[in-house]
Amino acid sequence: MATVLSVHDRRILTAVNSGASSLSFVGSGFIVLCYSLFKELRKFSFKLVFYLSLSDMLCSFFNMVGDPSKGFFCYAQGYITHFFCVASFLWTTTIAFTLHRTVVRHKTDVEDLEAMFHLYVWGTSLVMTVIRSIGNDHTHLGAWCWAQTGRTGKAIHFITFYVPLWGAILYNGFTYFQVIRMLNNATRMAFGMSDHAYQFDSRTDTKALNRWGYYPLILIGSWAFGTINRIHDFIKPGHKIFWLSFLDIGTAALMGLFNSIAYGLNASVRRAIYERLELFWPERLQRWFPNSSR
């Protein structure tokens, strides 16, 4: 017997989607604004974070404006959302690649690869979006614009989104593992040296870089329930599980917020914000943050 989401359930899921997407839009938009305002942040490494945040911001925006009652607009919105969401997790792979090439392979030519990064991210996103349109069922609409209703459409949607997504997760995980292992080896070597200042710098760098190991968990946490929901929907079409859909919608829509916190709110951004605020409210900041150092 088919289990269909009620009107009340769909309203709840729509509200969750809008609320979570709004948080992601604000978070990623804040990083875009910081990059635009603070010239000292316009380094190549943070430029990649800017492109990631820009993709998240546009993905979140179009994720909020979908209306399944409007056919053409809904499909257009669905394709645009697909495009920028794919671009988002592809930009995370360029960040991982840059770190690996710089830290592990000791290359300094990453800035020369920016054009290739754009071709790779935007080109792949466009190809995946075009392929996705092949199996789209234009006779029915799901609960939201991004969903596919036909069996062929569901399979193509999975192939053009979730397969490259989990490929990106595996690549990022393997890359960050190599980077962290390299840094840990450097730290162990530093302990055997007599230069205590070098030891301190190595421990500080390792502490700052070890958090990169959690970056792949952002994509896993954002899309694990969505992947499970897509597989369940393909195996048992018409049997919707409300709580699974709730977690699917909620975690996926928060990806932009998670990325903005993990990738964007680093020490450089916090320092730039603090310096600007100090120009306007120096005494108040000293009272609030008496031990703050720039």
Side-chain angles (χ1 to χ4, degrees), residues 104-115:
V104 178
R105 300 186 62 187
H106 306 289
K107 300 291 185 179
T108 59
D109 61 345
V110 287
E111 294 189 28
D112 298 333
L113 302 175
E114 182 177 354

Side-chain angles (χ1 to χ4, degrees), residues 6-18:
S6 66
V7 175
H8 178 68
D9 291 340
R10 294 191 180 193
R11 287 177 179 174
I12 293 177
L13 295 177
T14 300
V16 170
N17 176 61
S18 299

